[in-house]
Amino acid sequence: MDNTDRKSYLRKVKRVVIKIGSSVLTNEHGEINEGIFDLIAAEISKIKTSGLEVVLVSSGAIAAGMKKLNIDKKPDDIVMKQALAACGQNTLMGIYENSFSKNGQLTAQVLLTHAGFSDRKRFITARKTVFKLLKMGIIPVINENDAVANEEIMVGDNDNLAALVISLIEGDLLILLTNIDGLFSGDPNKNKDARLLSLIKEVNGDIEKYAGKTYGKTTTGGMVTKIQAVKSAAAFGVPTIIANGKIPSNISGIFDGQDIGTFFLPSLEKLTGRKHWIAYALKPMGKISIDDGAKKAITDSGKSLLPSGIKSVEGDFDIGELVLCVDGDGNEVARGLTSYSASDIKKLAGQKTSNIQKILGYKYSDEIINRDDLVVL
Ligand code: GLU
């Protein structure tokens, strides 16, 4: 694939999710830089006028709260961060509204938590609202509802939030704007030979290694969460571009077909909506360690996970919750919805399916995780 193919992908895009990181919206001291909002709004208005539907996912609430309250060091205290986000979110939206109005565009604030994606009813409600806004020509600006998000219900970073928004609104391109030009083959600050990777066909171990080395300083997740978002979008059949948002003209440049940032191709095999939801929208509640035979059966032959292949169980999960399946080295092999609780699986580990009834006194199913509820990663 070369730049021509990239162009042909981009020509098909109708609905794009653009995530703008705090590092783009702040200056070198971490303070909100109002000037860049005008430039970004002008660019986004331009691509919208050309016919694209645009949904923004924007960070910056905590940074805006810090500026408002004259605090110059990001606190470690979680409640204080939530309070700062609450102080800053309205300021952030005010700046967006002002900048977009100069281009004749209206914006709307949508605040979500993880529950907005994992809970079907909330998912559908949020989806309908965003679709309605798009239909009315309004630009939705999404952020995590930091003030109410605790550990259990938070996404935690806006890269993964943006990938979830792709599935929420069936977007067909994800753009992650940050303060570096894309993914490099090393840390560009430390290694002068590190080169910008312009095309990634598949996220493999090497790519994850590069990402691990190029952690951003001011951002929440750096490259690590960006690569997680890329994988989630790719499994949904959607390409991602990681590009430098400090150069706002990159936004229209991307759609003019310029070779900007790193372009990640989508996976060849797209997961169904339900399997994508299992793999990327739910939070794992525990871990099941499986033996090599079970690993082979689920990865090579698409089989269900049976009690005989289970070595041990971690966590306190219930029936129907998401669990990770890991191999002997602790590597994640698959994830799926369990048919038995953690305490039952402990009793069933290593046993034959035919013994389930005898051991537990009842039987819900022959499998610990049915193949229809299992996603191999
Ligand atoms: N929701 C956070 C904020 O608005 C940002 C999270 C992130 O940057 O990933 O400050």
Side-chain angles (χ1 to χ4, degrees):
M1 175 172 149
D2 58 20
N3 192 244
T4 332
D5 303 294
R6 173 176 168 139
K7 278 188 195 159
S8 76
Y9 259 105
L10 290 171
R11 259 199 299 274
K12 287 184 268 176
V13 173
K14 292 201 178 68
R15 193 176 290 149
V16 56
V17 175
I18 303 180
K19 182 257 171 173
I20 308 173
S22 302
S23 66
V24 174
L25 302 174
T26 53
N27 62 20
E28 66 277 20
H29 309 294
E31 292 161 355
I32 285 284
N33 164 17
E34 291 194 23
I36 202 156
F37 284 72
D38 276 353
L39 302 172
I40 289 174
E43 284 286 303
I44 287 171
S45 303
K46 193 153 124 192
I47 60 165
K48 181 172 173 277
T49 312
S50 77
L52 283 173
E53 288 184 329
V54 186
V55 174
L56 294 188
V57 173
S58 180
S59 307
I62 296 176
M66 286 166 61
K67 190 167 178 183
K68 195 172 186 174
L69 301 186
N70 234 334
I71 293 174
D72 44 48
K73 196 181 164 288
K74 193 170 170 178
D76 293 326
D77 179 65
I78 293 174
V79 183
M80 186 58 188
K81 276 197 263 198
Q82 290 180 297
L84 286 174
C87 286
Q89 180 61 32
N90 56 338
T91 308
L92 183 71
M93 282 311 297
I95 308 173
Y96 272 121
E97 192 156 74
N98 183 34
S99 295
F100 274 106
S101 72
K102 293 179 189 161
N103 298 275
Q105 301 292 340
L106 291 174
T107 53
Q109 166 183 276
V110 181
L111 298 179
L112 296 169
T113 59
H114 191 271
F117 302 96
S118 56
D119 178 305
R120 208 67 205 161
K121 272 195 205 153
R122 290 191 189 204
F123 182 88
I124 289 166
T125 309
R127 181 187 176 100
K128 279 194 189 150
T129 308
V130 176
F131 279 158
K132 183 61 113 192
L133 291 167
L134 290 174
K135 211 158 169 220
M136 292 192 290
I138 297 168
I139 301 170
V141 183
I142 299 177
N143 197 357
E144 180 134 39
N145 193 351
D146 291 313
V148 303
N150 59 31
E151 189 61 36
E152 270 163 37
I153 61 160
M154 77 197 290
V155 179
D157 70 87
N158 278 2
D159 297 318
N160 278 295
L161 179 70
L164 289 168
V165 172
I166 281 283
S167 63
L168 181 80
I169 58 146
E170 282 161 39
D172 34 28
L173 175 67
L174 175 63
I175 300 181
L176 302 174
L177 295 178
T178 181
N179 60 348
I180 48 173
D181 291 338
L183 181 67
F184 284 79
S185 59
D187 186 341
N189 297 320
K190 292 188 193 139
N191 176 358
K192 62 176 176 25
D193 295 329
R195 54 192 175 84
L196 177 67
L197 304 165
S198 106
L199 173 76
I200 307 291
K201 293 191 175 149
E202 193 196 0
V203 174
N204 55 25
D206 280 345
I207 300 301
E208 305 212 43
K209 241 187 273 156
Y210 295 151
K213 283 185 188 149
T214 48
Y215 238 91
K217 245 204 287 182
T218 50
T219 50
T220 301
M223 269 301 163
V224 173
T225 52
K226 285 181 184 52
I227 295 300
Q228 290 166 356
V230 166
K231 282 166 81 176
S232 168
F236 200 67
V238 170
T240 300
I241 297 175
I242 298 180
N244 195 338
K246 289 266 189 203
I247 308 166
S249 61
N250 276 345
I251 299 172
S252 58
I254 285 172
F255 292 96
D256 290 340
Q258 292 172 36
D259 201 4
I260 289 167
T262 305
F263 189 91
F264 296 81
L265 287 179
S267 309
L268 295 174
E269 276 177 49
K270 183 182 162 173
L271 290 178
T272 61
R274 184 168 177 280
K275 289 230 166 167
H276 189 269
W277 177 74
I278 291 174
Y280 294 100
L282 296 181
K283 283 200 183 242
M285 303 307 288
K287 220 186 251 181
I288 298 179
S289 172
I290 61 174
D291 65 19
D292 288 345
K295 179 177 172 180
K296 203 164 158 14
I298 62 176
T299 53
D300 297 354
S301 323
K303 295 269 172 52
S304 299
L305 178 65
L306 301 177
S308 55
I310 292 177
K311 294 201 311 201
S312 61
V313 186
E314 263 177 54
D316 181 22
F317 50 84
D318 216 336
I319 298 172
E321 292 192 307
L322 182 76
V323 290
L324 308 179
C325 302
V326 298
D327 65 14
D329 298 326
N331 297 319
E332 192 180 337
V333 172
R335 41 177 70 191
L337 304 178
T338 171
S339 302
Y340 289 93
S341 66
S343 56
D344 282 354
I345 301 174
K346 275 183 196 143
K347 295 179 200 150
L348 297 175
Q351 298 287 339
K352 285 200 184 109
T353 298
S354 55
N355 288 339
I356 296 180
Q357 172 76 36
K358 201 169 73 199
I359 295 169
L360 299 180
Y362 55 86
K363 183 167 94 171
Y364 291 127
S365 113
D366 281 348
E367 303 94 13
I368 298 297
I369 304 177
N370 185 280
R371 56 192 284 172
D372 293 336
D373 296 328
L374 193 64
V375 186
V376 175
L377 296 160

